[in-house]
Amino acid sequence: MSKPRLHWLAGLAGDKSPETEAVQLDPGCPIDEAWKTVQEHYRFDSKEITQLVAGAFRLEVADIGAAQPTATKLLPATVARKALVFPLRDNYRELVVATCDPTALDIEQAIAFSAGRDVVFEVAAPVPISNAISTAYGSDDEVDNFFSGFDEADGETVGVVEEDEVDEIGREEADAAPVIKLVNLIIRDAVEQGASDIHIQPSGREGIVRFRVDGMLRNYMKMPDVALVRVISRIKVISKLDIAVRLRPQDGKVRVKVASKNFDLRVSTVPAKASEKAVIRILDTEGTPELESIGYTKEQLVGLREVLSVREGIILVTGPTGSGKTTTLYAVLRDLSDDEVNIMTVEDPIEYELEGITQIQVQEKQGVTFASALRAILRQDPDIVLVGEIRDLETAEMAVQASLTGHLVLATLHTNDAIASVQRLVDVGLNRASIADALRGVAAQRLVRRICSACAIDTNGVFTPEEQLLIERQGVKPAKRAAGCDQCGGSGYRGRAPIVEVVAFDKALCAAVAEGQSTTQLAKMERDRGGKDLRDSALQLVARGITSLEEVERVLGGRAEEDQAPVEAQPKTVEVADVDDATIAATLAAPVGDVMDQPVPEHPRALVVDDDSTTRSIVKALLENEGMKVDEAVDGLDAIRLLKADPLYDVMVLDLDMPNLDGRDVLKIARASPGTAHLPILVLTGTPDVDAESQLLELGADEYIRKPIAAQKFMPRFRALLRRTAQ
């Protein structure tokens, strides 16, 4: 009769204590029970049995107290609990893991697959491993208690939709059902509160869920960090992301049905210090608006429809991310769409599905870019083309080509206002003549929060000290003020309204663009003919009681001319005006100042010369972060005036193409004058001409950077310039 098989741990213990009667332990006994049985039967302490196992397998004894906190990122909690192992440390090739069962080769393979490392075992007893797992990942009881607080009905109104059918995703693990309920609850409440985004992120030893409502983030709930991991894993599952990948960003999407209405969720995950962060953009697939319902006033709609009455050229909608540009363009497409026109779009992403319109999704990995898709669209006989965003010169040139061959091109652009679109297109690389030929109109917009109608308070001509200060600064008295109630979440605001600036580029304005007029001059032309800017639009809403002065200040800031900073602390900026030839000649004839006549400044100073206010603002902010005091000039002539009065600058950032006096002439004058002959000069330009760099270096430039300005490219080269010229 064959001898019965024993558990390997019982065999080791029996060999060490042959005088003790052998314990009969089945080989299939769970490892934690085997340790407990052997320890009690042979009266070993935990240290003795750990050393026994380590010695038998020639492994090290694990020091769980010295484990690296970062090692837990490589091993999911579910694997650690199921295998009863704990990650100790890693060196990018190996992951050292504490185990109580060195014979479990299948577990070793599972860990290697999950962590992407070779696995090295060290030995520890089950109880210390279990305690370490609970401390590092959180206990099952903690998570179960958290999830148990949600009713069974919490998730019933949310279902995942796949090809217009509800996809019932089952889960074999018992603890998955509460996670599904919680994720559904978060999505449902976000939709009910009108959130545009859901932020799920780690914060210390807990997770935080926040909703972006009316452009502002609101705290929604907190949860244990181990629950956060499960919630993000569930979100990754439904959006078809790889749940095993936690150390690189991922993007996905899913359609859900909330209370019988479909919504598209755009999911983005990024690795964070303690776990992952997920952001979910909520898009109402059935909410394509009509032009009359997007919040434009009658006057603004008339101006926009006047611009849209053309059937060729480029029409832009501009503003920062989240300002409603795409919503406005969809409303425009809906207004223009009929059976007689062929409308095609190229977008990233496609936010709304429009009936009767061909929509192309950008897929850069497959070679489908804005430019390549636009090139293909032009062979499809379109009447109207929508380009989700003009990001580069190739896309811009294709858009101009399409507009000049009889197509109406609609596109978005990131600028501060409507007139600044001209300079942005120049920075991308277009020449001003092409812009003047193609551009037909620009609508710039922002979104401000509406005062909640349920709790709004009439001011009745009586204002708080804070309101009085804003009235003096903005010049408009508010009709209502925000209070706060349950309906608006205590914020005082509910919903948003657009503030709009519509500029039609007629023959006069286009001629000024072609002539090289600066942004300031173009804005003055528009103002002189009765145009209203974003601030005018916002203040109209304040006077009507739709929004508040506080909200206008939050979105647009205060009026620059009424800034309260001391006069001597203000940058020296000379406004561009029409300059006659005599003034130019007199300015150029005067010598640039002598450095020997100037007091030495206390702080390093920079002169930023550019006719585009947006570029000046960006460069100024970057240099002020470096501890520099920044003066500004809005064209080359103004720069020479400032250098004539005070040449003692540490560096000059100089635009190449400007009215009155361009950057090349400024370079020649600065290098010919003793006071500025050695002034470090960095030139900015939007021209794609590869020969321009050598020409500028011959004229005396020290560094050369192409527009648009990007901090990660600009600052290293700027610092390198200062290091070189300081030697």
Side-chain angles (χ1 to χ4, degrees):
M1 186 174 180
S2 62
K3 188 177 180 180
R5 293 177 59 233
L6 293 178
H7 195 285
W8 64 266
L9 188 58
L12 285 179
D15 292 342
K16 182 176 177 59
S17 300
E19 69 281 359
T20 306
E21 182 182 355
V23 64
Q24 299 300 313
L25 196 60
D26 186 87
C29 178
I31 190 64
D32 53 343
E33 292 183 14
W35 273 70
K36 182 179 180 181
T37 301
V38 168
Q39 188 171 339
E40 292 176 350
H41 182 81
Y42 289 97
R43 299 185 182 278
F44 292 153
D45 61 27
S46 179
K47 184 177 181 181
E48 283 180 303
I49 195 169
T50 300
Q51 291 175 339
L52 174 64
V53 173
F57 289 91
R58 298 181 181 181
L59 299 174
E60 298 292 330
V61 173
D63 183 1
I64 292 181
Q68 297 174 349
T70 54
T72 56
K73 292 184 178 181
L74 296 174
L75 193 64
T78 52
V79 176
R81 289 193 176 94
K82 186 175 181 179
L84 196 56
V85 295
F86 184 73
L88 300 175
R89 57 191 179 276
D90 80 289
N91 60 5
Y92 299 102
R93 291 185 299 104
E94 297 176 334
L95 177 64
V96 181
V97 176
T99 181
C100 53
D101 186 2
T103 69
L105 298 181
D106 56 335
I107 290 176
E108 180 181 357
Q109 293 173 354
I111 297 172
F113 178 79
S114 178
R117 304 281 198 280
D118 292 334
V119 177
V120 176
F121 278 155
E122 293 184 356
V123 180
V127 172
I129 292 176
S130 180
N131 291 339
I133 291 173
S134 296
T135 300
Y137 293 104
S139 67
D140 284 329
D141 289 342
E142 180 184 13
V143 179
D144 291 341
N145 290 337
F146 174 77
F147 286 128
S148 66
F150 302 103
D151 296 334
E152 291 294 331
D154 282 337
E156 291 181 356
T157 58
V158 179
V160 178
V161 176
E162 188 72 32
E163 297 179 354
D164 298 327
E165 295 294 335
V166 175
D167 182 9
E168 298 293 343
I169 300 178
R171 284 291 178 269
E172 295 180 358
E173 298 180 4
D175 64 347
V179 179
I180 294 174
K181 286 194 300 180
L182 177 56
V183 171
N184 289 350
L185 174 67
I186 292 171
I187 295 172
R188 185 199 68 186
D189 286 357
V191 169
E192 290 181 350
Q193 293 185 29
S196 61
D197 301 88
I198 303 171
H199 290 242
I200 305 172
Q201 64 190 78
S203 178
R205 295 284 298 168
E206 62 185 6
I208 297 177
V209 180
R210 298 188 292 173
F211 296 161
R212 187 175 294 280
V213 181
D214 298 334
M216 304 291 286
L217 284 172
R218 298 179 184 175
N219 287 337
Y220 171 67
M221 70 159 52
K222 295 182 178 180
M223 64 180 69
D225 56 353
V226 65
L228 174 77
V229 172
R230 295 187 183 184
V231 166
I232 291 180
S233 294
R234 167 63 182 169
I235 291 169
K236 292 169 75 172
V237 166
I238 65 175
S239 55
K240 305 299 188 291
L241 301 181
D242 189 344
I243 62 173
V245 175
R246 303 171 61 193
L247 299 180
R248 71 168 185 261
Q250 295 188 73
D251 294 301
K253 61 182 179 179
V254 61
R255 175 166 291 185
V256 299
K257 182 172 288 187
V258 181
S260 73
K261 189 174 182 180
N262 286 344
F263 294 86
D264 278 344
L265 306 183
R266 308 285 177 177
V267 179
S268 171
T269 66
V270 295
K273 181 178 180 182
S275 176
E276 287 180 283
K277 177 181 179 180
V279 174
I280 304 171
R281 170 65 58 88
I282 303 173
L283 302 172
D284 183 354
T285 61
E286 302 167 8
T288 310
E290 295 182 351
L291 199 55
E292 287 78 6
S293 66
I294 61 176
Y296 278 37
T297 65
K298 291 182 179 180
E299 181 182 2
Q300 291 163 352
L301 279 176
V302 169
L304 182 60
R305 283 208 162 94
E306 179 182 345
V307 169
L308 293 171
S309 63
V310 301
R311 280 297 175 264
E312 50 81 25
I314 296 177
I315 297 174
L316 300 173
V317 179
T318 76
T321 301
S323 60
K325 303 186 298 295
T326 304
T327 300
T328 297
L329 279 180
Y330 277 122
V332 167
L333 287 183
R334 183 169 176 173
D335 193 67
L336 296 175
S337 178
D338 59 41
D339 294 335
E340 298 178 354
V341 294
N342 177 19
I343 301 178
M344 301 185 71
T345 77
V346 51
E347 307 170 61
D348 185 23
I350 297 174
E351 296 192 6
Y352 301 100
E353 295 179 4
L354 302 174
E355 185 176 351
I357 294 176
T358 304
Q359 297 174 270
I360 300 174
Q361 168 70 53
V362 168
Q363 304 273 358
E364 293 193 357
K365 291 183 179 179
Q366 282 73 42
V368 183
T369 64
F370 280 110
S372 65
L374 184 53
R375 189 178 296 108
I377 283 175
L378 295 183
R379 296 192 289 269
Q380 294 284 316
D381 187 31
D383 297 293
I384 300 172
V385 178
L386 183 147
V387 182
E389 182 180 350
I390 294 179
R391 297 178 177 175
D392 51 43
L393 177 59
E394 187 181 8
T395 306
E397 288 178 337
M398 289 300 302
V400 169
Q401 178 184 339
S403 69
L404 296 179
T405 53
H407 305 88
L408 178 62
V409 178
L410 309 175
T412 70
L413 203 63
H414 291 275
T415 64
N416 288 337
D417 53 46
I419 295 296
S421 301
V422 174
Q423 186 59 44
R424 181 72 180 94
L425 293 174
V426 171
D427 292 344
V428 166
L430 290 178
N431 61 66
R432 290 180 177 268
S434 296
I435 298 170
D437 287 341
L439 194 57
R440 295 293 176 265
V442 181
Q445 69 180 52
R446 300 286 192 282
L447 295 174
V448 293
R449 292 181 295 170
R450 293 176 177 269
I451 295 176
C452 176
S453 59
C455 61
I457 300 174
D458 291 328
T459 58
N460 294 320
V462 180
F463 307 107
T464 65
E466 293 78 10
E467 288 173 334
Q468 192 62 50
L469 180 63
L470 293 175
I471 291 170
E472 294 173 2
R473 186 180 301 167
Q474 301 289 353
V476 172
K477 295 180 179 180
K480 297 180 182 293
R481 69 171 59 97
C485 65
D486 292 339
Q487 294 188 31
C488 61
S491 67
Y493 299 91
R494 191 177 186 188
R496 289 192 288 180
I499 53 177
V500 184
E501 174 190 12
V502 179
V503 175
F505 277 74
D506 58 11
K507 291 183 178 180
L509 203 54
C510 288
V513 171
E515 292 168 4
Q517 297 284 346
S518 69
T519 301
T520 305
Q521 290 171 310
L522 295 175
K524 185 176 184 299
M525 285 183 61
E526 174 64 14
R527 193 78 176 178
D528 289 345
R529 67 182 188 181
K532 295 181 179 179
D533 61 16
L534 290 170
R535 192 174 299 276
D536 293 330
S537 175
L539 295 180
Q540 284 182 351
L541 299 184
V542 172
R544 293 165 53 194
I546 294 174
T547 192
S548 65
L549 287 174
E550 292 87 350
E551 184 67 3
V552 173
E553 292 256 322
R554 183 186 70 83
V555 175
L556 297 179
R559 289 185 182 274
E561 63 270 22
E562 296 189 27
D563 192 81
Q564 299 301 308
V567 174
E568 60 272 14
Q570 294 299 307
K572 292 180 284 188
T573 303
V574 183
E575 291 300 324
V576 171
D578 292 332
V579 182
D580 57 29
D581 293 340
T583 302
I584 294 177
T587 300
L588 299 182
V592 174
D594 190 344
V595 296
M596 300 301 293
D597 299 331
Q598 304 296 329
V600 178
E602 296 181 4
H603 302 286
R605 297 190 306 149
L607 176 61
V608 178
V609 188
D610 200 307
D611 61 324
D612 176 46
S613 60
T614 302
T615 302
R616 289 201 312 271
S617 298
I618 293 172
V619 175
K620 179 183 177 184
L622 292 173
L623 299 190
E624 287 180 340
N625 285 338
E626 294 289 299
M628 305 194 80
K629 183 179 183 297
V630 180
D631 291 341
E632 302 173 57
V634 293
D635 69 2
L637 192 61
D638 295 335
I640 296 301
R641 287 171 176 162
L642 290 176
L643 290 173
K644 172 179 175 293
D646 180 7
L648 213 77
Y649 287 97
D650 295 276
V651 66
M652 177 164 65
V653 180
L654 177 66
D655 187 26
L656 188 61
D657 298 313
M658 297 180 292
N660 294 331
L661 196 68
D662 70 8
R664 296 176 182 82
D665 292 328
V666 174
L667 266 174
K668 294 176 184 177
I669 296 168
R671 290 302 180 232
S673 304
T676 55
H678 302 289
L679 173 66
I681 300 177
L682 183 152
V683 175
L684 307 175
T685 180
T687 177
D689 185 359
V690 294
D691 296 327
E693 182 173 0
S694 59
Q695 296 171 1
L696 290 169
L697 293 176
E698 289 178 1
L699 289 173
D702 296 288
E703 187 57 274
Y704 173 94
I705 295 179
R706 287 192 176 93
K707 294 181 178 180
I709 300 298
Q712 64 269 28
K713 294 182 180 179
F714 177 85
M715 290 312 303
R717 298 181 71 173
F718 178 82
R719 296 185 187 111
L721 168 63
L722 294 186
R723 286 195 298 270
R724 291 199 308 269
T725 54
Q727 295 175 351

